[in-house]
Amino acid sequence: MAVKKDLSLKYLGVDCLNPFFLSSSPVGGNYDMVAKCYETGWGGCFFKTVGIFVADECSPRFDQTNKEGLPWVGFKNMEQISDKPTELNFEYMYRLIRDYPEHITVASIMGSSVDEWKKLAKMADEAGAKIIEGNFSCPQMTSHDMGSDVGTNNELVESYSRAVAETVPHIPFVAKMTPNCKNMEEHARAALKGGAAAVSAINTIKSITNIDFENNTGMPVVDGKSSISGYSGAAVKPIALRFCTQVQQDEEIQRMAKEGKWNFGHGHEMSGIGGIETWRDVAEFLAIGCRNIQVTTAIMQYGYRIVEDMASGLMHFMDEKGYDHLDEFIGCALPNLIPAEDLNRDYKVLPAFDEKKCIGCGRCYISCYDAAHQAIDWNEKKRRPELNDNCVGCHLCLNVCPVQGCITPGEIKWKVRDENGVAVREANDATHIKFKKDARKEKKLALKAQYE
Amino acid sequence: MSKVVKAKYTAEAVPGFTHRTALEEAARCLLCHDAPCSKGCPAGTDPAKFIRSIRFRNVKGAAETIRENNVLGGSCARVCPYDNLCEEACSRCGIDRPIEIGKLQRYAIEQEKLFKMKTLKAPSKKQAEKVACVGAGPASLACAAELAKAGYKVTIFEREEKAGGMLTYGIVPSRLPQSVVDHDIAQVKGLGVKFVFNTEAKAEDLEAFDAVFVGTGLWDANLPKLKGAELKGVYSAVDYLKQARTKKKDFDPGKRVIVVGGGDVAIDCAVTAKLLGAEDVRILYRRTIEEAPANINEFHYALSLGIGITTGLYPVAAIGTKTKMNKVEAVGFYDKKAKAEFSCDALVFATGQKPEDQSAYGVDVNEKGFVKVKKGGKAGGKFFAAGDIVNGGKTVVEAVAEGKEAAASIIAYLEKKGVK
């Protein structure tokens, strides 16, 4: 029997079949597409952003970055919000909500004035939307009154959030944040202050993916020219995880979420977006406190079917970990993501080399010499690395080694410090370190377990 | 019914890489320190360097590396026994399978052609000395290219009408297309090397030269004792392959063809027969497959075309009339009692080559007729030799390696002479 786990959860008080949603983009732009994605297993869809403004698009509008022949490491798009008439979009949403009541069709909207935001919120309500997302973050809008320029203006974020929250007070409003900012937390706070229930992040990152040398411009080339526009895909996942973590760790945001009217006991209900392709990516966003995840780029590359392995993989993960519900591990990594100054700097973990697995490529030697601490000597005759005393335990060697399980974390060396805290020598155990009672043993055991 | 591969005689059997697949393959390369593959190439083609160039999107640089180190880079990419050389040395064997080095080399040279690159350039300041190369096969071509790169005036004498030696006359084009050989030779010509075709160099032709390189190769067939060897339909491998390549449509490969031998040449003959329309083609090898010198992949390929392989037997008599043979008798090599009869109208002996008379070239030969040389191909005085005529018949890449070495010896010899 295939492993089955319950992936349902409540997001902003709304029952969801699972946390897998399409993000507002070309992958969910009409009735048939979204219907197909629901049939495939997606729990919901942030429908392609609707405005009063109807987009006039350029062609071509996509480009991708690749590395070592691997395509789609990152993806760039120049599309704006929906190019279909506003009424038609809401009609699609109305039909989807009617025909797929268990699936959550979220209305994503973008206005260029308070009045437009109010009007769109009303239309979303009339279509039956249970959640509305405000797009404050598209980086390639042709007007500065919309998109990511708005998302970094706290006054506009707050007033537009308020416009929606006051127009449809019964519908939770999610403000979609741009990563093209100095500090996402302040814009998220502005949204919550205006009445948004939560934020989602990240929208795409302003980018130039490649230069075309025939036209001496960026790619894609439109009549000899190109523009800066949004970057997404696997390459941006680390940046997305960072923004989501910072939002989730912001005490003010958590306080506002708890004290606000959309408090369901989970604190701030983040929706995570950015480079999600696999169940593991999903689990990672859940681990940093997201209760909903959104995907586009991977669907553009592979289609809706990727959700099948997202669901199955996540169930196997839960089975392995002994979880029955997503709530059991949502946010589990948040307490362990700490400021760099709080990290334990009392030890180093030396790499251990498995001579039998080693194939003698010498990559560890090259990287250690050219980029680290010249801690690996190269035995030319045997074609094997030999660790010397220069090793600082950085693990660059372990990261470049192409053989699975060949270089692994090995012996732990503890720093012995003088009265000024300067490390003066090494020790093979931690007996000299003053931990709180019993903490030393626990810590050592925990460290051991971590590396074994 | 077994599904056999249908192929064309003149079309390259194995498809090459595209930009994307080449990059994918290059990405599999571990970019080793002190790379074993580069040490594994006799001719010093330096795969580690050219694969790294492909990996870092410098295809032109890759082609440059290959061409500078091995003027026959395109041909070697097709006919090298990688699995005994660079690919066997590849560190990636320790993980799964080696990098397809030959195919990447082929890709880089294909790009070289596409970009119309002219990598090799002879210096404008010429040396005073003139060098002659006898034969236009791999060893001579490699030697001539090195000498021309160093500014020497080189003349190649070739008795056939085309250059390339075995590359042009002794390999099936589906494995090594003529266009590839011609492209390699064009690099040598581009260096200003003069070719004199249809001319068997005589001693007096060589008098005017300050140094002479002998790269005459092995063109005499090593035929075993056989009753009926004089019958029409009995060929040496070299004759069979050459006629197929030169006579083209006028060549009759035979209907039932038996090829005797267990090397790459035997397989080339069998493939030639099959691709030119022979109904039934069989390779007859007296020993076992394990003992056969041919690359196992070539056996696989022959089999995939529907060519039969029979081991443990060798032919003793060709039977037929003067105008037509119709069967061959074979006996067991291990079990002397075994006897078999195969009907056939073409019997091809791919049982090795032997040297012809080398007395015109002022070189000493051993009892087998191979040219005797010291290190660096020194054959005494102004004479130098390398390639099959010295080593008894090895690979193209080894001929290239030896030709390069001989060129270095010639340069040292001429420089020393110049000082005096």
Side-chain angles (χ1 to χ4, degrees):
Chain A
M1 264 294 278
V3 168
K4 279 275 170 214
K5 291 279 178 183
D6 181 8
L7 297 180
S8 69
L9 81 174
K10 272 186 188 290
Y11 177 58
L12 296 172
V14 177
D15 286 314
C16 302
L17 295 169
N18 58 48
F20 317 127
F21 280 47
L22 307 192
S23 49
S24 127
S25 74
V27 299
N30 63 35
Y31 180 92
D32 292 339
M33 293 172 88
V34 179
K36 181 183 171 192
C37 96
Y38 289 162
E39 304 284 352
T40 315
W42 293 87
C45 167
F46 289 72
F47 197 89
K48 171 123 180 148
T49 304
V50 184
I52 302 300
F53 166 91
V54 174
D56 183 14
E57 299 293 3
C58 63
S59 166
R61 60 188 80 155
F62 302 135
D63 188 37
Q64 45 118 350
T65 53
N66 53 66
K67 187 166 161 34
E68 290 151 349
L70 185 71
W72 286 71
V73 171
F75 180 75
K76 171 186 153 118
N77 88 86
M78 309 220 303
E79 257 195 50
Q80 307 179 76
I81 62 174
S82 179
D83 58 358
K84 295 184 185 66
T86 313
E87 291 73 17
L88 177 63
N89 280 317
F90 282 114
E91 190 204 314
Y92 284 144
M93 283 185 251
Y94 169 78
R95 285 168 51 207
L96 284 163
I97 292 162
R98 180 194 65 194
D99 298 346
Y100 294 91
E102 288 194 323
H103 295 78
I104 308 304
T105 305
V106 180
S108 171
I109 58 172
M110 183 194 285
S112 63
S113 65
V114 166
D115 281 349
E116 280 191 14
W117 280 96
K118 283 185 174 172
K119 193 174 170 191
L120 290 162
K122 225 169 151 198
M123 291 174 92
D125 187 18
E126 282 160 12
K130 287 182 193 160
I131 301 173
I132 297 175
E133 183 183 66
N135 187 337
F136 293 130
S137 44
C138 176
Q140 54 260 13
M141 294 303 293
T142 49
S143 155
H144 294 291
D145 297 333
M146 290 180 280
S148 61
D149 288 347
V150 173
T152 51
N153 181 329
N154 290 335
E155 272 174 41
L156 288 179
V157 169
E158 187 182 332
S159 74
Y160 291 162
S161 296
R162 182 163 293 120
V164 177
E166 285 178 356
T167 307
V168 286
H170 55 290
I171 304 176
F173 176 65
V174 179
K176 184 166 179 178
M177 301 276 105
T178 175
N180 303 299
C181 63
K182 272 193 225 162
N183 177 328
M184 189 178 285
E185 298 91 286
E186 61 172 276
H187 310 310
R189 283 183 224 129
L192 294 190
K193 202 170 158 200
V199 303
S200 54
I202 59 174
N203 203 319
T204 55
I205 301 171
K206 289 185 184 182
S207 71
I208 294 171
T209 37
N210 294 290
I211 296 293
D212 174 276
F213 285 106
E214 266 177 46
N215 298 282
N216 292 330
T217 183
M219 287 174 76
V221 180
V222 180
D223 190 20
K225 304 279 186 270
S226 194
S227 294
I228 288 171
S229 74
Y231 192 53
S232 62
V236 313
K237 189 189 81 173
I239 298 161
L241 284 171
R242 164 237 161 171
F243 275 119
C244 291
T245 298
Q246 283 179 318
V247 167
Q248 286 305 86
Q249 288 185 333
D250 188 83
E251 287 176 12
E252 180 65 8
I253 290 171
Q254 290 300 350
R255 187 192 60 77
M256 290 170 89
K258 256 177 217 160
E259 291 172 4
K261 66 188 250 197
W262 302 104
N263 175 24
F264 299 100
H266 306 299
H268 177 248
E269 300 200 12
M270 183 96 202
S271 176
I273 316 165
I276 296 169
E277 292 186 348
T278 69
W279 66 267
R280 198 187 156 92
D281 301 328
V282 174
E284 287 171 356
F285 276 85
L286 297 180
I288 56 150
C290 296
R291 290 189 67 79
N292 174 270
I293 64 95
Q294 304 183 33
V295 182
T296 283
T297 311
I299 296 171
M300 295 185 85
Q301 190 180 5
Y302 300 112
Y304 298 131
R305 59 199 170 153
I306 60 169
V307 76
E308 292 163 10
D309 286 300
M310 265 180 199
S312 161
L314 197 58
M315 287 177 190
H316 280 285
F317 167 74
M318 291 167 71
D319 188 50
E320 203 179 294
K321 292 279 184 186
Y323 298 132
D324 287 321
H325 298 283
L326 298 177
D327 272 311
E328 289 169 47
F329 71 98
I330 287 176
C332 66
L334 276 180
N336 299 322
L337 288 157
I338 59 173
E341 61 265 31
D342 294 342
L343 288 173
N344 181 348
R345 291 166 192 273
D346 282 337
Y347 67 92
K348 63 180 179 187
V349 184
L350 302 181
F353 298 84
D354 187 329
E355 281 225 5
K356 277 192 188 138
K357 284 187 183 155
C358 178
I359 56 168
C361 70
R363 289 289 293 274
C364 54
Y365 162 74
I366 292 176
S367 286
C368 185
Y369 199 97
D370 294 0
H373 296 81
Q374 301 79 50
I376 295 175
D377 297 322
W378 182 246
N379 184 326
E380 279 199 21
K381 233 180 174 177
K382 286 163 67 186
R383 291 195 66 85
R384 287 292 178 272
E386 287 166 0
L387 197 68
N388 65 36
D389 291 341
N390 289 345
C391 183
V392 298
C394 72
H395 290 194
L396 179 61
C397 53
L398 190 154
N399 281 284
V400 297
C401 179
V403 181
Q404 199 176 346
C406 174
I407 307 181
T408 48
E411 203 185 341
I412 297 175
K413 294 274 186 196
W414 297 81
K415 290 177 193 166
V416 180
R417 301 180 189 278
D418 65 12
E419 61 275 17
N420 299 317
V422 178
V424 287
R425 60 184 177 86
E426 284 172 4
N428 288 331
D429 59 48
T431 48
H432 59 287
I433 294 175
K434 292 186 190 100
F435 290 121
K436 282 177 196 158
K437 209 180 170 190
D438 288 329
R440 183 195 309 160
K441 200 175 164 190
E442 267 173 39
K443 204 153 200 172
K444 236 192 131 171
L445 285 173
L447 268 175
K448 259 197 148 172
Q450 193 180 327
Y451 289 118
E452 263 164 12
Chain B
M1 286 235 312
S2 273
K3 195 174 170 185
V4 297
V5 173
K6 299 282 178 206
K8 269 186 163 170
Y9 176 64
T10 47
E12 191 154 12
V14 185
F17 281 132
T18 62
H19 294 302
R20 194 177 271 191
T21 53
L23 203 53
E24 280 169 8
E25 188 60 16
R28 288 184 63 244
C29 174
L30 305 174
L31 308 177
C32 294
H33 170 66
D34 189 21
C37 59
S38 285
K39 290 180 179 170
C41 177
T45 313
D46 205 353
K49 189 164 193 292
F50 77 69
I51 296 171
R52 178 147 50 94
S53 292
I54 295 172
R55 156 69 185 79
F56 290 103
R57 301 189 181 215
N58 177 19
V59 178
K60 288 185 175 178
E64 211 169 59
T65 297
I66 296 165
R67 197 56 87 181
E68 274 169 4
N69 293 325
N70 181 348
V71 72
L72 301 183
S75 300
C76 280
R78 309 319 202 271
V79 299
C80 241
Y82 315 103
D83 51 350
N84 299 326
L85 300 169
C86 54
E87 291 184 9
E88 185 180 44
C90 177
S91 296
R92 179 108 207 180
C93 295
I95 299 179
D96 46 14
R97 58 186 200 284
I99 308 306
E100 290 189 62
I101 298 173
K103 223 167 142 184
L104 283 172
Q105 181 171 328
R106 170 178 161 185
Y107 164 76
I109 292 294
E110 282 168 352
Q111 297 306 306
E112 178 202 45
K113 198 174 173 185
L114 209 68
F115 288 122
K116 299 190 171 67
M117 285 173 67
K118 197 167 181 288
T119 302
L120 303 181
K121 289 184 187 82
S124 50
K125 194 170 170 272
K126 297 286 179 228
Q127 308 281 354
E129 293 90 345
K130 292 184 293 179
V131 184
C133 293
V134 184
S140 270
L141 291 169
C143 178
E146 289 303 304
L147 291 168
K149 273 153 66 179
Y152 291 95
K153 286 172 247 165
V154 187
T155 304
I156 295 182
F157 291 94
E158 169 59 51
R159 67 180 177 193
E160 300 292 339
E161 61 178 22
K162 276 182 80 87
M166 283 294 176
L167 300 178
T168 295
Y169 294 105
I171 296 174
V172 62
S174 64
R175 188 151 73 95
L176 177 61
Q178 191 61 43
S179 60
V180 173
V181 182
D182 290 346
H183 178 60
D184 280 350
I185 291 165
Q187 311 306 311
V188 184
K189 286 185 180 160
L191 282 165
V193 172
K194 198 176 148 200
F195 285 78
V196 181
F197 292 115
N198 303 308
T199 304
E200 180 131 27
K202 305 264 174 354
E204 56 268 29
D205 295 325
L206 305 171
E207 272 167 18
F209 291 91
D210 300 288
V212 175
F213 174 81
V214 180
T216 41
L218 303 176
W219 292 87
D220 210 359
N222 215 351
L223 293 181
K225 276 182 195 157
L226 179 88
K227 234 167 40 185
E230 73 291 349
L231 291 183
K232 191 166 185 285
V234 179
Y235 297 86
S236 74
V238 175
D239 277 346
Y240 192 80
L241 292 169
K242 192 170 150 189
Q243 285 188 33
R245 288 189 80 142
T246 52
K247 286 188 180 171
K248 299 189 174 158
K249 279 183 180 161
D250 296 331
F251 178 66
D252 174 15
K255 268 188 187 164
R256 295 174 189 281
V257 182
I258 294 211
V259 179
V260 183
D264 284 340
V265 179
I267 292 171
D268 273 2
C269 291
V271 170
T272 294
K274 190 74 193 176
L275 299 187
L276 288 177
E279 282 167 18
D280 186 15
V281 182
R282 185 193 304 267
I283 292 170
L284 199 62
Y285 180 52
R286 59 188 177 146
R287 297 177 183 273
T288 61
I289 294 276
E290 293 103 295
E291 290 169 286
N295 186 316
I296 190 75
N297 293 329
E298 294 295 323
F299 275 119
H300 284 305
Y301 178 61
L303 198 60
S304 76
L305 292 173
I307 292 167
I309 300 163
T310 306
T311 55
L313 291 167
Y314 70 100
V316 287
I319 295 160
T321 64
K322 278 214 168 148
T323 53
K324 198 177 167 218
M325 68 169 291
N326 50 41
K327 65 179 176 182
V328 61
E329 282 176 10
V331 297
F333 179 70
Y334 299 106
D335 168 13
K336 305 288 180 206
K337 288 179 205 155
K339 271 189 184 150
E341 236 181 55
F342 302 96
S343 59
C344 80
D345 48 14
L347 177 65
V348 184
F349 283 94
T351 43
Q353 310 297 123
K354 63 184 182 192
E356 295 159 287
D357 178 27
Q358 304 293 318
S359 59
Y361 313 125
V363 291
D364 286 340
V365 296
N366 64 17
E367 66 282 1
K368 285 184 175 166
F370 299 129
V371 175
K372 290 203 275 195
V373 296
K374 288 186 184 140
K375 205 168 175 271
K378 287 178 219 157
K382 69 172 189 177
F383 290 93
F384 298 80
D388 285 357
I389 189 67
V390 172
N391 65 31
K394 285 185 178 171
T395 59
V396 175
V397 70
E398 279 162 300
V400 170
E402 291 174 17
K404 277 172 75 177
E405 265 178 52
S409 298
I410 291 170
I411 292 168
Y413 164 77
L414 293 175
E415 277 174 355
K416 205 172 160 194
K417 212 175 117 187
V419 169
K420 277 178 191 167

